[in-house]
Every structure is written in structure tokens, then in C-alpha cells.
Amino acid sequence: VRAAMAGWARAVRGLLLDVSGVLYDSGADGGVPIAGSVEAVRRIKASGLKLRFCTNETQATRENFVKKLRGMGFDISVSEVTAPAPAACHILKERGLRPHLLVHDDLMPEFAEMDKTNPNCVVLGDAAENFTYANLNEAFRVLIGMDKPVLISLGRGRYYKETDGLKLDVGAYMKALEYACDVQAEVVGKPSKRFFESALAEMGVPPEQAIMIGDDIVNDVGGAQRCGMRALQVRTGKYRPSDEKHPDVKPDAYVNNLAEAVDIILRQL
Amino acid sequence: VRAAMAGWARAVRGLLLDVSGVLYDSGADGGVPIAGSVEAVRRIKASGLKLRFCTNETQATRENFVKKLRGMGFDISVSEVTAPAPAACHILKERGLRPHLLVHDDLMPEFAEMDKTNPNCVVLGDAAENFTYANLNEAFRVLIGMDKPVLISLGRGRYYKETDGLKLDVGAYMKALEYACDVQAEVVGKPSKRFFESALAEMGVPPEQAIMIGDDIVNDVGGAQRCGMRALQVRTGKYRPSDEKHPDVKPDAYVNNLAEAVDIILRQL
């Protein structure tokens, strides 16, 4: 791994970190930090490298998400987090869109300032228990009533694991609405190029001087590489050995976990 | 229209009729017959032509569906109806499949004799209120737990209209599960070739001597034509003027309604 990274890690000026599966594992009591990750974040900050947390989390506001992570000991603040809901708000304002929201109750405050009267688009997040038959029909009716339906999806994940089992993720519901309305959703969040570019801009680092570290071979690694970044896959979180034979995406290197990645990167500087 | 059909309608020996949108319009009180359709069915039977009702209805057993139609005055019996649930049962038996069912409560009796223990496939119908977050996650978990997920979908409709508004149809939920599990559903019902072929076999008429009459340009007309049948689209039910500019499917003729179709066909004989 060190040899693989020897050539380029020296030029690095900034790191983008995925959160779930890299910093912590989600679970019944809110989750537990992954061994060595709290210290790894601290070491990145002490090193002078720029740092940005880049997450597809849409079940909580950034405030509550950060509060949970601080409770686990992470040195993280709201201003360091790039997340889909604020990115979507930016797009809505830019295009004069008034959203009909099908999102998690706990995400609603992120859209508090948006005009939601007479909606002209649908914003879909991981709504979890809000994915009811009635709510899906309502979102569908808003879309099909438009001349040109606009569907904005906060991510395109297929499923995720919680302590009580696997759950369908926002991408599955996105596909249902896409098919029913014969429309293609605009995805905000990883692996969208624009989303990574915002994170880089907020960090003030060009893609060739940044490394993405994530557990998702497609959304973290593939997405970041398409933006011109290097990307490492950690063997924690949703990583599976079969990822190492992925037909399309090959990380610049594998690391066992965030602590190992940071260790190697900092030695190169 | 008569001119368009003059050549071939003479050779006709059997008619396949779609039900919803051709015989009746569904609605709050169970629906109302389309003007002239009760009499048209009676005329077909009196003519000696073979007749089969070919429906994608999955919100009721054939027994209850037929009871509703008889209540409107239609001369129809269970043995004359080809519907997705019995066709699916046939496939399940043939392949030794034990279904996990995500269907409407009122359809459950159709599967009463199927072994549902330790399921090795998922059967998806228009489950309506049963399309809950919990039920969708459960169906997903059954699928993702299989080496090679088998998803059987009773139709692939996008949406339909009820008196209280548009509703997502089974096809939308099929797409959600297909995406989440990276699998392709097997569709039972129109426009599946096998489904039309069963209806023809039950009627004992080869495709070139049969006419399908339906309101759905893709599932009725396109599906029947791919089986070698002629197909008429009625301008009732879900018919929309834009159907007449469909990029792929062109009916052999348009008729205003079932009564007109039967009138023209019987004059040719």
C-alpha cells in the first residue's frame, strides 16, 4: 500500500472523508466509532492538511449529525460537512424551484427557509417510515401533474444495513418514481460530480491535490475518481471482499481503515 | 375503420377482451359499464365467436371480479377469465417455487393452495395499501437473501386512475425491487407473450384468427401484436389522443368503443 501511494500522496493538500462506515458504524444506540478513527481525524487536523467530511446522510440535519459524532469524540463541526440537503437547497434557490418534500422528518429543518407553496419539483431523501403508500402516491401526483417533471434525489443508494436488518435506500424509491413518470432524477450527493466539486471548492483544494477516503466502491471511490481525485477504499463499513473485483472501479489503494490511511499519508508529507 | 378491417376481420374466430376501460370504468362504487359494452358481450356470445376476457386485474380474486361485472349486467363467468394470479400459480407449481407474497389482501385466496413456507421467490401484485415501508423492506430482504433472486411481478403498469386520484401501479414497485436487488423481474400478465398464449390456448384459437381489443396501447395492443394477433384500441378507458402518435405501437385499427368494434367485426362474418 505504501509503495502504491509513494508517488502521489506527497502532493496531497486535502482529504475528503466519508462518515458512515469510515468514522463510525451506525447502530441501535446511534452507532460506535471505528477503532482509531477519532485519533485519525485529530491527526489530520494537526497536520495542517485541509479536511472535509463528505456524506450522503439524509436522515438528520447536519446539526444533529455532528452532535452525534461529537458525542463519540470526533473533532467535527457543521461548517466542515458537505451533505445532500444543503446542496439541494442551493440548487432549488438557483433555479427558483419550490419543493414538495418526501424526506425524513428529522431532515425537514434543512428546508425550513424554502418556499414550499405550489411546488414545481419533488425532493426525495431517505424518508424511511415516511415512505408510505399515501406519501409515494402524493409525490407521484405532484410529478405527473407537471409539464416536465423535476425529481431531485438526495443520493441513489440501493440499500443499507441497520441493526434490525437491511432497508431499502432512497435509490429504490427514486427508481419507482422515475419509471412511473418516465423521467430521470437529478441526483444530489455522492457520486454526483457537482457534489464532490462543491466539497473541493469549500476546502479550497483542486482535485489532483485531494484524496477521498470511503467505504463505498461506487459512490465514494468511483465518484471521486471521476472528478480527478485519488480515492482509497477502507475495509470497514459496507466494504465487502468482492469489491476488490469490481468490474468498473479500482481504488488507487486499499487500506484496512482510516487510521492506516492517515498513517501512510502523513508519513509521505 | 371498416375499410381497414375489411381484409382480415373475416377470418376471425375468437376475441380477447381487456376488461377495465373496455367493459367498464372503475370508480368509487365499484365502477360503471361503458355504454354499449354489456350488449356487445352478449352479441359476441350469440355470434358463435370464441371469447376470452384477458385482464391484468390483481386487486381481487377472479370470483369477486366476475361477481362485480355480473352485477353490472355482463354475461361473464370465472372460467372465461385469464388473469395474472392463476397464471403465476401455474408457473410457481411448474418450477417448484414457494412464494413470499406482496399482494392485495383480496388477492390472497388465489394463492391459498401454494406452499409459502421458506420462500424462494417473491410475487408482487398491485398491493395498494399493503405497499408499506415494512412490507417493501421485508420483500426486499427475502430477495436479497437468495443466491439468485427470483422476482415475479403481476403486471408492469406504471399507474392507474381511481376516483380519488392517480395511484402508483405494481410496475413502479417492481422497479424499486429490481434496482435494489440488481435483478430483472419476470412479468406475468399483459404484455407477456406467454400470458397471451395461455389465453389463446384456453380459447382454442391460433393468434392469426384472434383479435385483442383493449384500451392500453402498450400492454394490450403491442403485447397482442407481438404474439401474432391483430389488435384494436378502443377510445375509452385510459386511451389518450397522444396514443395515436405512439413511436412503437400502431393498432390494426381504432374504434370508438367495444360496441363499435363488435358491430364492425360481426358485419364482416
Side-chain angles (χ1 to χ4, degrees):
Chain A
V1 179
R2 284 168 206 213
M5 293 169 58
W8 47 268
R10 220 162 296 162
V12 167
R13 285 185 46 231
L15 300 182
L16 280 183
L17 304 190
D18 176 33
V19 179
S20 176
V22 175
L23 265 54
Y24 82 115
D25 278 322
S26 56
D29 51 355
V32 288
I34 291 170
S37 287
V38 168
E39 178 60 18
V41 170
R42 206 171 286 137
R43 288 185 69 200
I44 296 167
K45 293 200 165 180
S47 74
L49 283 175
K50 298 284 184 85
L51 174 61
R52 189 97 199 146
F53 301 95
C54 188
T55 179
N56 268 11
E57 169 69 39
T58 63
Q59 284 207 358
T61 58
R62 282 185 300 177
E63 280 70 16
N64 286 330
F65 186 56
V66 160
K67 191 188 281 178
K68 181 174 77 174
L69 290 162
R70 292 184 68 88
M72 294 178 205
F74 287 103
D75 179 2
I76 181 173
S77 63
V78 169
S79 63
E80 294 169 320
V81 176
T82 300
C89 286
H90 188 76
I91 290 171
L92 296 173
K93 279 178 204 158
E94 202 175 73
R95 288 162 53 185
L97 292 171
R98 299 176 304 276
H100 171 91
L101 299 170
L102 179 45
V103 302
H104 199 285
D105 284 344
D106 295 343
L107 192 71
M108 291 295 284
E110 294 275 18
F111 296 91
E113 287 170 26
M114 303 305 305
D115 178 7
K116 298 172 208 77
T117 56
N118 189 20
N120 55 6
C121 77
V122 167
V123 172
L124 191 69
D126 177 14
E129 302 293 342
N130 280 346
F131 280 132
T132 63
Y133 180 60
N135 286 346
L136 283 162
N137 281 332
E138 196 185 345
F140 162 67
R141 280 177 214 140
V142 171
L143 284 171
I144 205 75
M146 298 176 197
D147 278 344
K148 208 178 167 310
V150 176
L151 173 60
I152 294 175
S153 186
L154 306 180
R156 53 177 297 134
R158 287 153 53 156
Y159 60 90
Y160 54 86
K161 194 176 180 172
E162 292 208 327
T163 43
D164 59 342
L166 295 174
K167 306 277 174 79
L168 289 169
D169 199 357
V170 61
Y173 294 96
M174 174 190 87
K175 287 288 172 185
L177 291 174
E178 281 188 341
Y179 177 71
C181 304
D182 196 17
V183 68
Q184 178 131 31
E186 304 171 35
V187 177
V188 177
K190 300 177 284 187
S192 140
K193 195 170 180 193
R194 177 169 173 168
F195 190 69
F196 282 112
E197 286 170 349
S198 310
L200 288 168
E202 287 155 338
M203 197 161 61
V205 170
E208 62 276 13
Q209 297 182 348
I211 300 178
M212 171 79 206
I213 303 174
D215 64 333
D216 188 315
I217 183 77
V218 171
N219 291 302
D220 293 330
V221 175
Q225 288 177 332
R226 271 204 310 280
C227 287
M229 279 180 266
R230 307 274 183 167
L232 309 183
Q233 189 179 9
V234 290
R235 293 196 183 95
T236 54
K238 72 170 74 166
Y239 162 86
R240 292 185 304 177
S242 63
D243 291 345
E244 307 204 13
K245 291 172 288 187
H246 195 279
D248 305 320
V249 184
K250 190 175 151 46
D252 293 279
Y254 283 97
V255 288
N256 288 319
N257 48 48
L258 179 64
E260 189 189 28
V262 171
D263 201 48
I264 295 170
I265 291 166
L266 296 187
R267 278 166 197 256
Q268 306 268 341
L269 295 179
Chain B
V1 177
R2 286 166 204 212
M5 291 170 59
W8 47 269
R10 220 161 297 162
V12 167
R13 285 188 44 232
L15 300 183
L16 280 182
L17 304 190
D18 177 33
V19 180
S20 176
V22 175
L23 266 53
Y24 82 114
D25 277 322
S26 57
D29 51 355
V32 288
I34 290 169
S37 288
V38 169
E39 177 62 18
V41 170
R42 207 171 286 137
R43 289 186 70 199
I44 296 167
K45 292 200 166 180
S47 74
L49 283 175
K50 300 282 184 89
L51 174 60
R52 188 99 199 143
F53 301 95
C54 188
T55 178
N56 266 10
E57 170 68 41
T58 63
Q59 284 206 358
T61 58
R62 281 185 301 178
E63 279 72 15
N64 285 329
F65 185 56
V66 161
K67 191 186 285 177
K68 182 173 76 175
L69 290 162
R70 292 183 69 87
M72 293 178 207
F74 287 101
D75 179 0
I76 181 173
S77 65
V78 170
S79 63
E80 296 170 317
V81 176
T82 300
C89 287
H90 188 77
I91 290 171
L92 295 173
K93 279 178 203 155
E94 200 176 74
R95 288 161 53 183
L97 292 170
R98 299 178 303 277
H100 170 91
L101 299 171
L102 179 46
V103 301
H104 199 283
D105 283 346
D106 294 342
L107 193 71
M108 291 295 285
E110 293 274 19
F111 297 91
E113 285 169 28
M114 303 305 305
D115 178 7
K116 299 172 206 77
T117 57
N118 189 21
N120 55 5
C121 77
V122 167
V123 172
L124 191 67
D126 178 14
E129 302 293 341
N130 279 346
F131 281 133
T132 63
Y133 181 60
N135 286 348
L136 283 162
N137 281 331
E138 197 185 345
F140 163 66
R141 280 178 213 136
V142 171
L143 284 170
I144 203 77
M146 298 174 195
D147 280 344
K148 206 175 170 313
V150 176
L151 173 60
I152 293 175
S153 186
L154 306 180
R156 53 178 297 137
R158 286 152 56 155
Y159 59 90
Y160 54 87
K161 192 173 181 175
E162 293 208 324
T163 42
D164 59 340
L166 295 172
K167 306 276 174 79
L168 289 168
D169 199 357
V170 60
Y173 294 95
M174 174 190 89
K175 286 288 171 182
L177 292 174
E178 281 188 341
Y179 177 71
C181 302
D182 196 17
V183 68
Q184 180 132 28
E186 303 171 37
V187 177
V188 178
K190 299 176 286 186
S192 142
K193 196 171 178 189
R194 178 170 172 166
F195 189 70
F196 282 111
E197 286 169 350
S198 313
L200 287 169
E202 286 153 339
M203 198 161 60
V205 171
E208 63 276 12
Q209 297 183 348
I211 299 179
M212 171 78 205
I213 303 175
D215 64 333
D216 188 315
I217 181 79
V218 171
N219 291 302
D220 293 329
V221 176
Q225 288 177 333
R226 272 204 310 280
C227 286
M229 276 179 268
R230 307 274 182 167
L232 309 183
Q233 188 177 9
V234 290
R235 294 196 182 98
T236 54
K238 72 170 74 166
Y239 162 86
R240 291 185 307 175
S242 62
D243 290 346
E244 307 203 14
K245 292 171 288 189
H246 195 281
D248 305 321
V249 184
K250 191 174 151 46
D252 292 279
Y254 283 97
V255 287
N256 287 319
N257 48 48
L258 179 63
E260 189 189 27
V262 171
D263 200 47
I264 295 171
I265 292 165
L266 295 188
R267 278 166 196 255
Q268 306 270 337
L269 294 180

